[in-house]
Amino acid sequence: MSATAAPAWRELDIDKLFLGFCLFVPLTALTIFFAYPLLTVVTRSLTEADGGIGIGNYIRILNAPSFWRATVNSLVMSLSTTAAVLMCGLVVAYAVHRCKVPGRALLLGAVSLPLLAPSLVQGLGLIFLLGRNGIVTKTTGLDINIYGFWGLLIANGLYALPQAVLIIGAALRAADARIYEAAEILGTSGFRKFVDITLPNIKFGLLSAGFIVFTVTITDFGNAATIGGDYAILATEIYNQVVGQMNFNLGAVVGILLLLPTILSFYLERVASQRQFGSVSDSAVPLVPTFTPKRDVPMTLAAWLVALLPVVTVAIVIYGSFVWLWPYRFDLTLKHYAVKVAGGYDPLWTTVQISIVAGVIGSLMLFALGFSLQRLPRHIVKPIYFLCLLPAAVPGLVLGLAYIFAFNVPGLPVYALYGTATLLAICNVTHYWTQGFLTTMTGLRQVPPTLEESAACLGASLPRLVRDVIVPSMAPTLVSVFFFMFMRSMVTLSAVIFLITASVSVASVSIMRLDEAGFTSQAAAYATCTMGIVVVASVLMRACLWALKRKQ
Amino acid sequence: MKLHLQNITKEFGPVVALDDVSFSAEAPEFICLLGPSGCGKTTLLRLIAGLSMPDRGQLRLDGEDLTRIPARDRGFGIVFQAYSLFPNMTVAQNIGYGLKIRGRPTAEIKERVGQLLDLIRLPHLADRYPYQLSGGQQQRVALARAVAVDPKLLLLDEPLSALDAKVRTELRAEIRELQQRLGILTIMVTHDQEEALLLADRVVCMQHGKIAQVGTPGELYATPVNRFVADFMGVSNLMEQSTIRQWASHLLNGHTPPADYIACIRPEDITLRPGATGARVRQVHFLGNLSRIELDWPGGKLVAEEAGRTSLVPGAEVGIDIAPHRCAWVAPQ
Ligand SMILES: Nc1ncnc2c1ncn2[C@@H]1O[C@H](COP(=O)(O)OP(=O)(O)OP(=O)(O)O)[C@@H](O)[C@H]1O
Ligand SMILES: [Mg+2]
């Protein structure tokens, strides 16, 4: 028996080594590039001016009226945005999934436009429309001040709308037609059905969407930077403490305080989304809406009205980038594409490189981790799972700040990474880790276990199993995660803003700098180029997914 | 090739999926694991395959201890209920995968795959992908893939239950034919007693993670050890001993079963005599090749069967005859 047992043990070792490797590498990376930096934020927030440890920084911040103003502003702005986005999101999602409206795909595409653009684009668009030199302001002669609360509300709302539509839409799709038929037989009116059946059924979906919108809004920095004006919020407060006053420790304190609502909101979102999507019955009969003029005509109008806003803001930015002198001379020109910013288009190409690296690292790491988690006992998986959910709750600015604390330390081996494009790529992977992780896990769960077991019985070792069976059958997920990381990395601003140097910068920072310097049209040109690349990536992704689907 | 399971126990938290299971099987036997849902059949099959490890007990093949050897080193063939073909590989690649892993030369793989495709009568589908096949064809390919590597043991987990009745009957015969041609020890899980009766050399009937009875299909049908096996292996009349003593005492002549044992009489063993008295026809069900007749009898309800159509109508008086040797005495549990 020893004759056969010996190779058995060697085989087993390869598998264990492979599994260990798959777990160890991403987990170590997550520790070094997420847990450790975050911990430094905590310690720095407790480090006082004289180098001692204490809560002096907290007391200083909590006693500062400016902090309270920013907190109140942040909360008011985020809550109003959440309410507005939920309402608009419900209108669009309901129109798409429960009414017979023309051009559903177009409607969804229009609403999703802001996902393809740096978050500054909404702000830029609003400036072109309603700013001091906005086309509306000039033609109507009204005295509109878009910089501030209203501008932020609209810009953040546009930015968060696609995610709300996605989540509410998923909740609406899970409907069972039979319930509605039963209500119909009982003589229930359309409106009563909506109030008595639809709303209760999607309430956790609405909650989930609400918390996501709240988190996205309260942590956003790009819009606040372009259109926030004097309306101070927590994100700008951190930025001012750090970049304006070089007061890193106070920035850390604000960052920690900003973490509280986001972590709470994120936790509640997880709870709500589990309640909404935890148990979808397989036997549900899908609902097919029939044309009801009384409902569908107003819904079509309302939904398109909502969808028009993102289309107009994005379109006007593109248009504005080609116009000679907004809003006085509308001759078309390419002169704004000769940008007058440090490095010209170099940051754009750097961003593309960073995004590719982030896509590759992200999809590989997430796949390795997900793959090993599936083969580990529950009590080990749970804490790791939790750790993987955390990054979504950390605002980009806080993560960026954490990276300064953790890596801008001459003498540490990780200092070598500081100021490199690699660190920016890693930072992006960490920043968007959670969404990628959840997608990967869903993809892995869709590989039938019998497939792996068949391969195992045929004698396949784990590395072979991954190569021959798992990767081919979840290639669409890997492609999606890669492009998700790529596209987010192309447009993100908040985390990387602290990590750029004179030689290594990214596109969204260039856009911000151009806008700050008053070169709005050049900022628009730069944003248009960035969007162009993201659109190309999104088309490529669709082509890849289509090709993969045809093969299966 | 002799497989030996000794005192196998497997628990999932509080659930005891397998409780002290022991049995042996030897090539070229065809064994069916039969039992109701949740009785532990799949768990047992996965343990044999090496896809999970028992908490206690031992598994031996020809005297060699297999208990801790993982699936990939056991080299057993396995076929699942569905969805186990590699979607990214063609039929031929699927069948040849095990050989490829073993590093066999391409020419040899090609030849072997060709033989197997002929054997499952699908040579024209070699370059198709699984999604282009019907359910029955997919299972044939899965079977070919499992036997391609000359496994010492073939394991089948309800390979037919996702198929419709006609394909199931066809494939059933093909599995049996293939197994006999290759002379390979085969263990198949099923919850369909008809399938077990038809295919198995021996049936392992399971109940709540324990083996209730092991035997040939004939043994299990004619002499079940307990009420559970009797019930599971087709229709039966189960009657308390006191009832028999009162109304059919001749069945006890020459038998002294333990006091709590009950009588098990198969419906076809009850002979009906029209014109005589003793029982009354309650209902007649025509099932095509046979008629099932429900009777009111002083000792309770009885079910009898007659071949083909019957002339009996509800309400008719009939006499009943039961041969004593046709009455099995079974444990109440
Ligand atoms: N991985 C598992 N974790 C927890 N419990 C399990 C697991 N696998 C099986 N069980 C439990 O063990 C018992 C036996 O399950 P098993 O799958 O072997 O039943 P089965 O006889 O194959 O049933 P079926 O005919 O429905 O396939 C069941 O109670 C089941 O719930
Ligand atoms: Mg089973």
Side-chain angles (χ1 to χ4, degrees):
Chain A
M1 89 150 265
S2 54
T4 52
W9 274 107
R10 215 176 304 137
E11 276 285 300
L12 197 67
D13 275 352
I14 288 178
D15 283 3
K16 280 201 169 149
L17 271 175
F18 182 71
L19 205 58
F21 182 76
C22 282
L23 180 68
F24 180 77
V25 172
L27 216 53
T28 313
L30 209 56
T31 313
I32 299 178
F33 295 107
F34 178 65
Y36 165 66
L38 215 58
L39 216 65
T40 60
V41 179
V42 177
T43 53
R44 286 297 285 266
S45 76
L46 293 169
T47 308
E48 297 190 10
D50 57 10
I53 297 289
I55 54 166
N57 294 328
Y58 283 86
I59 292 169
R60 258 183 76 187
I61 287 287
L62 292 175
N63 278 329
S66 66
F67 168 76
W68 289 108
R69 195 160 15 105
T71 305
V72 170
N73 283 352
S74 269
L75 287 175
V76 168
M77 193 268 304
S78 301
L79 289 175
S80 336
T81 309
T82 305
V85 168
L86 278 189
M87 244 150 49
C88 296
L90 182 59
V91 165
V92 174
Y94 196 83
V96 168
H97 295 289
R98 291 294 182 83
C99 302
K100 227 172 160 59
V101 302
R104 291 180 197 202
L106 219 57
L107 201 55
L108 285 178
V111 173
S112 314
L113 265 184
L115 286 185
L116 302 179
S119 79
L120 301 134
V121 163
Q122 283 73 246
L124 282 180
L126 288 178
I127 292 171
F128 275 119
L129 280 171
L130 304 163
R132 278 183 275 279
N133 279 328
I135 191 156
V136 175
T137 326
K138 283 289 166 195
T139 45
T140 60
L142 291 174
D143 182 22
I144 305 172
N145 183 12
I146 195 67
Y147 297 91
F149 175 79
W150 289 105
L152 256 184
L153 178 87
I154 302 174
N156 279 331
L158 287 175
Y159 190 56
L161 185 64
Q163 309 183 46
V165 170
L166 209 70
I167 298 169
I168 301 173
L172 282 170
R173 252 204 319 269
D176 191 342
R178 291 170 300 185
I179 300 172
Y180 289 88
E181 281 159 7
E184 186 79 45
I185 291 164
L186 292 173
T188 319
S189 74
F191 182 69
R192 280 236 70 90
K193 274 190 270 184
F194 178 75
V195 173
D196 293 344
I197 306 173
T198 308
L199 275 186
N201 265 320
I202 61 164
K203 76 174 167 234
F204 289 110
L206 281 173
L207 276 178
S208 173
F211 290 122
I212 290 269
V213 174
F214 181 83
T215 315
V216 166
T217 316
I218 204 167
T219 57
D220 179 80
F221 173 69
N223 286 325
T226 40
I227 205 159
D230 298 332
Y231 193 78
I233 58 165
L234 285 172
T236 42
E237 185 73 12
I238 299 179
Y239 185 73
N240 290 338
Q241 289 288 356
V242 173
V243 174
Q245 306 173 20
M246 295 308 258
N247 217 330
F248 289 86
N249 296 359
L250 291 187
V253 172
V254 184
I256 297 277
L257 295 173
L258 179 56
L259 260 176
L260 298 180
T262 52
I263 287 189
L264 180 70
S265 165
F266 187 74
Y267 169 75
L268 293 174
E269 192 277 325
R270 294 310 308 165
V271 174
S273 101
Q274 245 147 45
R275 294 281 277 280
Q276 177 71 47
F277 303 111
S279 59
V280 181
S281 147
D282 291 334
S283 63
V285 180
L287 197 78
V288 183
T290 51
F291 183 66
T292 320
K294 224 173 67 188
R295 174 196 68 196
D296 292 348
V297 173
M299 281 308 284
T300 306
L301 291 176
W304 273 108
L305 202 66
V306 171
L308 216 56
L309 211 56
V311 174
V312 168
T313 41
V314 170
I316 205 132
V317 169
I318 297 173
Y319 179 56
S321 76
F322 292 113
V323 163
W324 194 273
L325 183 60
W326 192 271
Y328 304 106
R329 190 176 155 196
F330 286 99
D331 302 335
L332 297 185
T333 173
L334 283 174
K335 72 167 183 166
H336 303 303
Y337 282 80
V339 292
K340 295 193 197 77
V341 70
Y345 283 109
D346 289 350
L348 186 57
W349 305 126
T350 312
T351 315
V352 172
Q353 286 166 11
I354 289 173
S355 303
I356 292 174
V357 173
V360 172
I361 298 183
S363 46
L364 285 182
M365 290 276 180
L366 285 164
F367 175 77
L369 185 65
F371 171 78
S372 56
L373 285 189
Q374 273 195 324
R375 281 158 191 77
L376 289 173
R378 263 183 90 80
H379 61 273
I380 299 181
V381 172
K382 269 200 138 171
I384 299 177
Y385 203 95
F386 177 75
L387 182 68
C388 287
L389 291 184
L390 267 186
V394 176
L397 277 179
V398 178
L399 190 67
L401 193 57
Y403 270 47
I404 301 183
F405 294 154
F407 303 121
N408 189 12
V409 184
L412 282 188
V414 280
Y415 181 65
L417 278 174
Y418 190 74
T420 64
T422 314
L423 190 67
L424 288 177
I426 294 173
C427 177
N428 286 335
V429 172
T430 315
H431 192 174
Y432 296 107
W433 183 266
T434 305
Q435 289 93 328
F437 176 73
L438 292 175
T439 312
T440 307
M441 290 310 274
T442 310
L444 276 167
R445 270 194 286 269
Q446 277 160 1
V447 181
T450 46
L451 225 55
E452 299 186 25
E453 291 174 345
S454 301
C457 286
L458 287 171
S461 61
L462 277 188
R464 182 139 204 162
L465 178 77
V466 167
R467 196 189 76 194
D468 294 348
V469 179
I470 301 187
V471 167
S473 43
M474 64 173 290
T477 305
L478 291 173
V479 167
S480 304
V481 172
F482 170 84
F483 279 102
F484 166 75
M485 286 285 176
F486 178 88
M487 294 198 271
R488 292 283 87 197
S489 302
M490 279 304 298
V491 300
T492 188
L493 171 68
S494 53
V496 293
I497 181 100
F498 288 144
L499 300 178
I500 47 136
T501 62
S503 55
V504 178
S505 181
V506 295
S508 47
V509 172
S510 300
I511 301 172
M512 188 176 94
R513 295 271 182 266
L514 284 166
D515 176 55
E516 277 172 355
F519 298 124
T520 317
S521 295
Q522 290 186 19
Y526 217 109
T528 304
C529 294
T530 313
M531 280 190 283
I533 293 173
V534 180
V535 168
V536 168
S538 132
V539 169
L540 262 178
M541 174 174 86
R542 264 158 224 276
C544 284
L545 291 178
W546 180 77
L548 285 171
K549 200 167 157 193
R550 244 175 44 127
K551 252 188 69 186
Q552 303 257 318
Chain B
M1 202 58 56
K2 189 161 179 173
L3 178 75
H4 204 71
L5 274 72
Q6 221 166 31
N7 310 103
I8 299 279
T9 299
K10 176 78 181 174
E11 289 161 7
F12 294 108
V15 181
V16 184
L18 291 175
D19 186 2
D20 201 24
V21 168
S22 305
F23 78 89
S24 306
E26 195 170 357
E29 261 186 319
F30 196 116
I31 304 277
C32 274
L33 295 179
L34 178 69
S37 188
C39 71
K41 307 179 296 284
T42 299
T43 308
L44 184 56
L45 199 78
R46 292 170 55 82
L47 283 178
I48 298 174
L51 292 169
S52 70
M53 300 287 154
D55 297 328
R56 283 183 291 285
Q58 208 189 31
L59 212 109
R60 276 178 295 146
L61 191 68
D62 280 342
E64 177 190 329
D65 186 357
L66 280 188
T67 319
R68 296 288 147 202
I69 293 182
R72 75 186 53 90
D73 300 314
R74 294 191 188 184
F76 297 165
I78 194 160
V79 177
F80 295 100
Q81 188 174 336
Y83 308 118
S84 59
L85 292 183
F86 306 127
N88 49 306
M89 299 184 200
T90 61
V91 165
Q93 286 167 339
N94 261 287
I95 298 177
Y97 187 62
L99 295 167
K100 197 172 146 201
I101 288 177
R102 283 162 179 69
R104 298 288 164 74
T106 321
E108 185 194 323
I109 298 179
K110 202 167 168 219
E111 193 193 328
R112 179 81 176 130
V113 169
Q115 285 170 2
L116 284 162
L117 280 168
D118 287 336
L119 199 65
I120 58 171
R121 291 197 281 272
L122 297 175
H124 53 296
L125 299 183
D127 296 321
R128 293 257 190 106
Y129 284 92
Y131 74 95
Q132 296 167 312
L133 304 183
S134 72
Q137 290 168 338
Q138 287 190 25
Q139 287 302 68
R140 283 201 186 95
V141 175
L143 203 61
R145 183 180 67 183
V147 299
V149 293
D150 291 320
K152 294 175 218 153
L153 194 57
L154 182 60
L155 303 170
L156 313 168
D157 190 357
E158 309 208 30
L160 306 175
S161 56
L163 307 174
D164 67 48
K166 191 163 168 293
V167 182
R168 188 151 58 200
T169 323
E170 275 173 32
L171 202 51
R172 200 185 270 166
E174 282 178 37
I175 289 181
R176 182 62 172 154
E177 198 189 305
L178 187 77
Q179 187 265 341
Q180 278 175 341
R181 184 194 295 215
L182 302 175
I184 194 171
L185 173 54
T186 301
I187 301 181
M188 174 165 127
V189 165
T190 175
H191 58 243
D192 179 348
Q193 51 103 6
E194 197 186 322
E195 205 164 279
L197 292 181
L198 209 77
L199 287 174
D201 294 316
R202 279 194 306 148
V203 176
V204 175
C205 189
M206 296 183 58
Q207 174 189 18
H208 301 319
K210 286 195 168 82
I211 292 184
Q213 189 173 2
V214 181
T216 64
E219 281 165 5
L220 263 73
Y221 189 77
T223 53
V225 293
N226 61 19
R227 178 193 278 265
F228 170 79
V229 178
D231 257 345
F232 208 80
M233 303 294 294
V235 183
S236 58
N237 295 288
L238 295 166
M239 282 169 290
E240 299 293 330
Q241 230 178 89
S242 56
T243 314
I244 297 291
R245 203 174 299 283
Q246 190 177 353
W247 301 103
S249 55
H250 69 284
L251 294 180
L252 277 160
N253 288 348
H255 286 283
T256 44
D260 58 344
Y261 271 41
I262 54 179
C264 165
I265 301 155
R266 297 293 178 183
E268 66 276 16
D269 293 332
I270 299 180
T271 315
L272 301 180
R273 277 184 291 111
T277 56
R280 184 184 297 276
V281 178
R282 187 185 162 83
Q283 231 167 26
V284 177
H285 303 281
F286 177 57
L287 303 179
N289 55 341
L290 56 81
S291 300
R292 184 166 292 158
I293 300 138
E294 286 180 28
L295 303 159
D296 282 322
W297 184 58
K301 279 186 205 143
L302 286 181
V303 179
E305 280 173 7
E306 283 190 348
R309 287 170 197 281
T310 176
S311 55
L312 294 169
V313 290
E317 283 277 332
V318 288
I320 63 167
D321 280 339
I322 303 165
H325 69 276
R326 293 292 199 175
C327 172
W329 293 95
V330 305
Q333 285 312 322

